[in-house]
Amino acid sequence: RTASAIDITNNANTSAANYVILPSESSSMDYSNYFNTIDASESPIINVIINTVDNCSLNLSSFCENSTFNQFNFHSFNNDDFIDNILTLNLTNAFKGVNAQNLTLNVEDIIADTTTNVTATSAFENGVITELSFTANKINDASKLFKNAQITTITKLNINDIVKGDEAFLNAPITSIGINNDEGIGLASLTSGNSMFEGCTNLSVTYPITMPQLQKGNRMFYGCSAPSLEINESSLREVESMFEVVERLRSEGVSIIYISHRLDEIYRLSD
């Protein structure tokens, strides 16, 4: 159907409400505010499937902002007969302030790693979600993505590449966020991460974290809680190499301030 506000009242008390968004003739598909500020608490399941055309722009800004759902599933449709890569995807405020028991957002099939520009500023900010699954391949701007969001359980979170992540997880009491460069949250292309994980709880870090493009990272991990640190053998060798450099500099009379919560490292390096 064409983009317009949804009247959810007709679907109350049904087993599932299904919406299939078909390609439009225009290269610009604007579905902003489509489910904005609705109460679908009486509808058990809402399924949204979107089918895009190649090289189009998809606008989902404020798509479900300040709405209430029991279960909301959003999937991009991939047809083998044509390429479904889009040029731009706008998820700004898409689920900001949403209240949902179960929320699935899967847009990875329509995102090309090199050509698609994805903006997800404040996409889940201030949301209250019991169970979340989110896959997006990459996000160019993830600023305030989960800022102050209250998410009980993340069943799947796959953002392989984030370019800008200022305040993305600021003060987010989220259970188990995985960070590495293969799955979970990838930071290899991150250029700005000011306060990205500040005050974030239950951060699960897989070393080594590589951020070769990082230019700004003020307070990036300030006050965050990381109960599990998985260190592989290659990163242990990197730590040993760092120790050798520190010890060499110390022998040359260079003063070094080394801060760590690992007491064995402190005892080894300090005079």
Side-chain angles (χ1 to χ4, degrees):
R1 56 178 293 173
T2 57
S4 62
I6 289 292
D7 181 4
I8 205 70
T9 55
N10 292 331
N11 301 304
N13 301 315
T14 60
S15 58
N18 300 305
Y19 298 92
V20 179
I21 301 177
L22 298 174
S24 64
E25 296 179 358
S26 170
S27 61
S28 178
M29 300 177 66
D30 186 359
Y31 294 94
S32 57
N33 300 295
Y34 206 55
F35 291 90
N36 185 296
T37 317
I38 63 169
D39 183 357
S41 56
E42 297 299 322
S43 184
I45 303 174
I46 294 179
N47 297 312
V48 177
I49 300 175
I50 190 163
N51 191 351
T52 62
V53 294
D54 192 22
N55 296 324
C56 74
S57 296
L58 177 60
N59 183 11
L60 298 177
S61 61
S62 299
F63 189 65
C64 295
E65 185 174 357
N66 295 323
S67 293
T68 301
F69 304 103
N70 281 316
Q71 181 172 342
F72 187 94
N73 303 318
F74 183 100
H75 293 275
S76 55
F77 179 71
N78 192 337
N79 190 327
D80 292 335
D81 293 334
F82 56 85
I83 300 173
D84 277 320
N85 296 334
I86 62 177
L87 294 179
T88 63
L89 173 60
N90 186 359
L91 293 171
T92 301
N93 299 333
F95 294 90
K96 184 177 182 180
V98 73
N99 190 317
Q101 293 296 313
N102 189 300
L103 176 60
T104 298
L105 177 60
N106 180 0
V107 292
E108 63 181 353
D109 288 344
I110 58 176
I111 297 177
D113 292 338
T114 56
T115 59
T116 306
N117 188 294
V118 183
T119 302
T121 306
S122 300
F124 297 96
E125 183 178 355
N126 297 326
V128 180
I129 304 169
T130 303
E131 188 171 312
L132 172 69
S133 175
F134 178 39
T135 54
N137 280 354
K138 75 161 188 177
I139 298 178
N140 296 81
D141 190 349
S143 301
K144 302 180 181 179
L145 177 65
F146 289 102
K147 182 179 180 181
N148 297 324
Q150 300 180 44
I151 301 176
T152 305
T153 303
I154 295 180
T155 57
K156 185 175 184 179
L157 180 61
N158 191 1
I159 311 171
N160 292 335
D161 220 356
I162 295 177
V163 179
K164 183 179 180 182
D166 297 331
E167 300 185 4
F169 296 89
L170 179 64
N171 297 325
I174 299 173
T175 301
S176 187
I177 301 175
I179 302 176
N180 60 43
N181 292 319
D182 296 318
E183 58 185 14
I185 304 170
L187 305 178
S189 299
L190 187 70
T191 60
S192 183
N194 293 329
S195 298
M196 186 171 184
F197 299 101
E198 180 178 347
C200 182
T201 56
N202 295 312
L203 200 62
S204 177
V205 181
T206 302
Y207 276 86
I209 298 176
T210 58
M211 296 178 285
Q213 307 299 323
L214 187 65
Q215 301 172 12
K216 300 177 182 179
N218 296 331
R219 301 173 66 95
M220 187 171 181
F221 292 96
Y222 182 82
C224 73
S225 171
S228 64
L229 298 176
E230 302 176 16
I231 303 179
N232 57 33
E233 291 182 2
S234 61
S235 63
L236 288 175
R237 289 193 296 270
E238 292 174 0
V239 171
E240 186 63 31
S241 298
M242 181 197 68
F243 286 165
E244 293 174 0
V245 173
V246 171
E247 290 169 342
R248 176 176 57 81
L249 292 173
R250 183 182 62 183
S251 67
E252 296 173 359
V254 178
S255 297
I256 298 170
I257 298 176
Y258 184 81
I259 302 173
S260 174
H261 67 283
R262 301 181 182 277
L263 290 181
D264 55 335
E265 297 177 357
I266 300 296
Y267 288 133
R268 171 174 172 175
L269 295 176
S270 61
D271 295 328

